[in-house]
């Protein structure tokens, strides 16, 4: 236990910018002179309209989205999207292409299977325990869409560039790297992200969908499972996750106004990741688990010489004020999640800790 804030390397829910947390704290009892907390106001009020519209506008500016794109806020996490995409976009003989780069891609594929949709897994890195991103992928000519996971939170790999799909829209799970870098949005028909990695609290999923993809959608679905319901009502067909949207708005404001936009954010993220990978590469004690060209800027996964040392490392880290360094329960090892909100100072401190731990245990 501690009464200080720790260096938080959690994978998700994850660290948020301190400035955002302070903003929330200072306006929590009286939001915008409303006399109410943001968690107490009506989602039909002008107060909340301002919040959701600001969040949408900021997302559009940051990603340079044109009018074809809708920015939506849904519930059910990224996991709900695994089902909503095939439900909405595949009918009859339609088929989709999937690239399998780890746990989350696998889960997305499973939902298409449960729904008895046609699909093809056109590439997979399962042969090497998902330690790399497949290259030179051949997509099906008749695929309605291609599904990718841009950053593999658990395996520590990331698409550094997106494949050419010959105009087939890419639908992309960007839960753990949305707003971490600029994107060429021409390639994407839909991107989505559970908020709890890089955007805000859990319970909200941001979905950005292009009009032509929206136009492909099946109509014979329950209202809450149709993208068109959200697009028609500015995400307020029912009560939206208000607090989540509010926090996302503050995070996007921080990216725009404090960080200076996505180019700057990307440079900052590269600098942070380089520090950590340099520390690992220059040691024979630590080893990354991802192949070099596929390494993630967001989730740095690494191993120590033995599981016993990994246990000691994680325990000592906690005692020294570093949290969240244990790898995902499905893979073991260690992982530092260094999303946008992780500061350069926190990584410098971690590198120092790792160097001392290596000296003491070599
Ligand atoms: C965490 C994560 C998910 C799951 O998100 P939920 O919001 O819990 O459903 C899906 N995809 C990726 C890439 C993730 O990192």
């Amino acid at each position: 236990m501690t009464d200080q804030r720790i260096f938080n390397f959690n994978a998700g829910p994850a660290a948020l910018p301190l400035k955002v947390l302070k903003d929330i704290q200072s306006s929590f009892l009286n939001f915008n002179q409303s006399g109410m907390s943001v968690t107490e106001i009506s989602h039909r009020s002008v107060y909340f309209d301002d919040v959701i519209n600001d969040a949408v506008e900021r997302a559009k500016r940051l990603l340079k989205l044109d009018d074809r794109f809708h920015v939506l806020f849904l519930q059910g996490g990224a996991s709900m999207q695994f089902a909503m995409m095939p439900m909405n976009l595949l009918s009859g003989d339609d088929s989709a292409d999937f690239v399998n780069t780890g746990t989350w891609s696998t889960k997305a594929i499973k939902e298409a299977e449960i729904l008895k949709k046609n699909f093809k897994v056109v590439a997979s890195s399962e042969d090497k325990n998902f330690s790399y991103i497949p290259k030179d992928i051949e997509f099906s000519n008749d695929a309605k869409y291609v599904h990718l996971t841009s950053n593999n939170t658990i395996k520590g790999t990331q698409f550094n560039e997106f494949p050419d799909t010959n105009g087939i829209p890419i639908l992309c799970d960007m839960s753990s790297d949305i707003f971490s870098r600029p994107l060429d949005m021409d390639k994407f028909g839909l991107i989505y992200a559970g908020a709890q990695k890089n955007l805000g609290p859990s319970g909200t999923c941001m979905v950005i969908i292009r009009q032509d993809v929206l136009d492909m959608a099946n109509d014979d679905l329950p209202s809450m499972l149709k993208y068109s319901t959200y697009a028609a009502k500015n995400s307020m067909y029912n009560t939206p996750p208000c607090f989540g949207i509010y926090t996302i708005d503050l995070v996007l404001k921080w990216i725009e106004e404090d960080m200076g936009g996505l180019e700057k954010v990307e440079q900052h993220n590269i600098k942070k990741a380089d520090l950590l990978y340099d520390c690992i590469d220059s040691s024979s004690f630590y080893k990354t688990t991802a192949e070099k060209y596929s390494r993630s800027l967001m989730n740095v996964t690494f191993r120590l010489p033995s599981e016993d040392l990994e246990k000691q490392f994680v325990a000592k880290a906690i005692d020294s004020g570093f949290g969240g360094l244990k790898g995902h329960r499905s893979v073991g090892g260690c992982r530092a999640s260094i999303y946008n909100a992780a500061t350069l100072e926190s990584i410098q401190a971690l590198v120092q800790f790792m160097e001392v731990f290596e000296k003491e245990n070599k």
Side-chain angles (χ1 to χ4, degrees):
M1 280 195 280
T2 172
D3 49 16
Q4 309 254 320
R5 284 182 60 78
I6 64 162
F7 292 121
N8 180 355
F9 296 102
N10 278 335
L16 287 168
L18 188 59
K19 172 135 193 284
V20 168
L21 297 175
K22 284 183 169 167
D23 279 355
I24 293 171
Q25 186 182 44
S26 71
S27 60
F28 197 66
L29 296 183
N30 187 356
F31 174 69
N32 264 356
Q33 317 286 286
S34 65
M36 295 172 276
S37 161
V38 71
T39 61
E40 298 172 306
I41 59 177
S42 168
H43 60 294
R44 309 280 177 210
S45 64
V46 289
Y47 296 108
F48 192 72
D49 256 342
D50 287 348
V51 171
I52 194 165
N53 291 336
D54 196 59
V56 168
E57 289 310 313
R58 286 187 190 280
K60 286 188 166 175
R61 278 199 299 275
L62 281 165
L63 289 170
K64 299 189 168 52
L65 303 178
D66 59 45
D67 288 342
R68 292 174 300 164
F69 290 95
H70 302 266
V71 178
L72 311 175
F73 300 98
L74 279 66
Q75 302 188 46
S79 302
M80 175 79 115
Q81 293 311 304
F82 299 162
M84 271 182 76
M85 289 177 290
M87 268 181 163
N88 277 262
L89 304 173
L90 299 178
S91 45
D93 290 336
D94 290 346
S95 179
D97 280 358
F98 285 81
V99 177
N100 190 2
T101 50
T103 313
W104 299 116
S105 310
T106 306
K107 287 193 165 179
I109 293 165
K110 188 174 143 210
E111 296 301 302
E113 204 172 337
I114 290 171
L115 289 162
K116 301 195 165 53
K117 302 290 185 182
N118 297 320
F119 64 88
K120 216 163 124 186
V121 179
V122 289
S124 167
S125 50
E126 195 171 4
D127 58 337
K128 290 189 187 163
N129 197 19
F130 298 114
S131 58
Y132 69 102
I133 297 290
K135 276 184 175 166
D136 305 321
I137 305 167
E138 280 196 37
F139 298 99
S140 317
N141 289 326
D142 58 349
K144 204 102 189 269
Y145 63 80
V146 168
H147 183 269
L148 306 176
T149 310
S150 55
N151 183 71
N152 301 286
T153 324
I154 294 173
K155 303 292 184 178
T157 62
Q158 185 175 26
F159 278 91
N160 298 316
E161 70 192 301
F162 291 96
D164 184 0
T165 55
N166 244 329
I168 302 169
I170 298 176
L171 275 50
C172 194
D173 180 356
M174 296 200 182
S175 292
S176 48
D177 67 355
I178 195 166
F179 295 109
S180 68
R181 53 182 171 175
L183 293 171
D184 170 10
M185 284 300 294
D186 278 345
K187 294 191 163 176
F188 300 100
L190 186 157
I191 64 177
Y192 62 99
Q196 67 273 18
K197 277 49 182 254
N198 215 5
L199 271 181
S202 61
T204 307
C205 182
M206 184 185 268
V207 175
I208 299 176
I209 186 168
R210 210 170 60 196
Q211 185 64 47
D212 59 293
V213 174
L214 195 57
D215 291 340
M216 300 181 346
N218 298 321
D219 216 33
D220 56 343
L221 290 172
S223 307
M224 288 296 287
L225 296 175
K226 281 202 290 206
Y227 291 117
S228 55
T229 303
Y230 297 86
K233 302 281 183 185
N234 198 22
S235 305
M236 293 193 282
Y237 168 75
N238 76 327
T239 318
C242 297
F243 184 72
I245 296 168
Y246 163 69
T247 307
I248 290 171
D249 182 38
L250 292 176
V251 169
L252 297 180
K253 183 170 183 226
W254 171 79
I255 293 175
E256 257 196 310
E257 297 178 6
D258 296 84
M259 297 300 288
L262 294 184
E263 279 83 9
K264 293 273 173 57
V265 164
E266 181 180 40
Q267 283 165 19
H268 193 237
N269 284 331
I270 290 172
K271 195 166 164 186
K272 291 187 307 187
D274 279 354
L275 251 180
L276 201 44
Y277 284 121
D278 284 350
C279 162
I280 294 168
D281 287 343
S282 62
S283 130
S284 53
F285 187 76
Y286 302 105
K287 279 198 172 55
T288 52
T289 62
E291 285 186 11
K292 201 159 185 174
Y293 77 90
S294 304
R295 285 171 170 179
S296 168
L297 297 182
M298 299 279 101
N299 307 95
V300 178
T301 49
F302 56 97
R303 308 282 329 216
L304 276 67
S306 70
E307 282 185 25
D308 190 45
L309 275 169
E310 284 165 351
K311 263 193 204 134
Q312 288 178 41
F313 175 84
V314 170
K316 182 130 198 239
I318 290 170
D319 282 345
S320 313
F322 302 93
L325 292 170
K326 193 165 185 283
H328 190 267
R329 60 196 187 301
S330 66
V331 295
C334 299
R335 169 177 57 176
S337 296
I338 51 171
Y339 304 119
N340 288 349
T343 60
L344 190 62
E345 295 73 53
S346 71
I347 290 151
Q348 285 163 339
L350 176 61
V351 164
Q352 225 171 30
F353 170 80
M354 286 170 69
E355 285 168 359
V356 171
F357 188 87
E358 176 176 352
K359 272 198 199 105
E360 287 172 357
N361 291 280
K362 219 167 169 170

